[in-house]
Amino acid sequence: MSMLIPDPLEPFLIFHPWLLNLAFACGARFREFAVTTFFFEVFLIEQDLIQAPYRLNFLGILSTENGTPATIGFFSKEKTPFIAFVLGGPGSGKGTQCAKIAEAFGFTHLSAGDLLRKEISSNSENGAMILATITEGKIVPSGVTIKLIRREMESIENNKFLIDGFPRSEENRIAFERITGVEPNIVLFFDCPEDEMVKRVLGRKQGRVDDNIDTIKKRLKVFAALNLPVINHYTRRGKVYKINAVGTIDEVFEKVRQVFDDCKQMIK
Ligand SMILES: Nc1ncnc2c1ncn2[C@@H]1O[C@H](COP(=O)(O)OP(=O)(O)O)[C@@H](O)[C@H]1O
Ligand SMILES: O=c1ccn([C@@H]2O[C@H](COP(=O)(O)OP(=O)(O)O)[C@@H](O)[C@H]2O)c(=O)[nH]1
């Protein structure tokens, strides 16, 4: 299990549970969500870390496109899958290790980034917005990403999922948990020094619009500001397995294998 990582949002996060408790004491669960998300979004606007046209659409997370409320809790009790969130900075090796976990342990690998890139290439209604957001290294609105993850999870007959590169912010995390009604069983965190991540991303050569030095710098900033708080949250919940991502692919996988071997009892 990892130690808590200092992050620049810590003072805000201390305030955040206080706000939650206050709203909860008022007996309004929906208001609790709306109010706290609103404060998060105001903060993110100030930091210029989320996409402008979508940034005040905090209530949209709970709605589908036809305006009806989204299902809260889309897994039945008997069919709740085992979920591992796989987090780490850009180029830390999440995708590489997920492919190996999927093969060795029978998981379905869902990469949030790949699902978003597929939306761009399928010319969907959100394609242009997703492309602009990824090019800027910012985070796509939760409702869009969760809809894609949900569609995949519902269409695949497996009870073990790796969700790679999501949630990227506290707002992503809160929305996912509200909409699905579940938390991940475990969270893998690939801990990698920034210079190594930059080297790996620049060497990836997959023709991605965001694998250039300017966007990488923005992605690293967004990771530190928005993704580390998610990792800290799940560390406090005792769910994080921190893996040193330095070493060869096989060396890193040996550490990953150990985690999944240890969790065998939990994985149905
Ligand atoms: N342990 C490692 N050592 C060296 N290179 C690696 C390692 N793991 C992954 N890579 C390479 O680094 C690049 C980024 O890895 P990737 O799995 O795509 O990262 P992420 O999904 O976290 O962005 C890829 O080109 C991959 O082949
Ligand atoms: O849940 C997600 C996952 C990805 N992205 C966007 O997709 C980009 C690439 O993400 P991916 O996980 O594919 O790559 P990584 O940054 O980890 O190398 C990110 O910088 C974000 O702009 C996003 O907005 N939400």
Side-chain angles (χ1 to χ4, degrees), residues 144-174:
V144 173
T145 314
I146 293 170
K147 201 160 76 183
L148 298 175
I149 294 172
R150 175 183 182 163
R151 196 165 68 192
E152 291 297 300
M153 291 183 87
E154 285 177 336
S155 70
I156 293 167
E157 276 293 320
N158 196 353
N159 61 349
K160 297 180 271 189
F161 289 93
L162 300 168
I163 302 187
D164 163 7
F166 179 93
R168 280 185 124 80
S169 65
E170 279 289 85
E171 197 260 329
N172 269 180
R173 174 187 72 74
I174 293 166

Side-chain angles (χ1 to χ4, degrees), residues 60-73:
I61 290 165
L62 287 177
S63 302
T64 57
E65 57 284 67
N66 60 13
T68 53
T71 316
I72 306 292

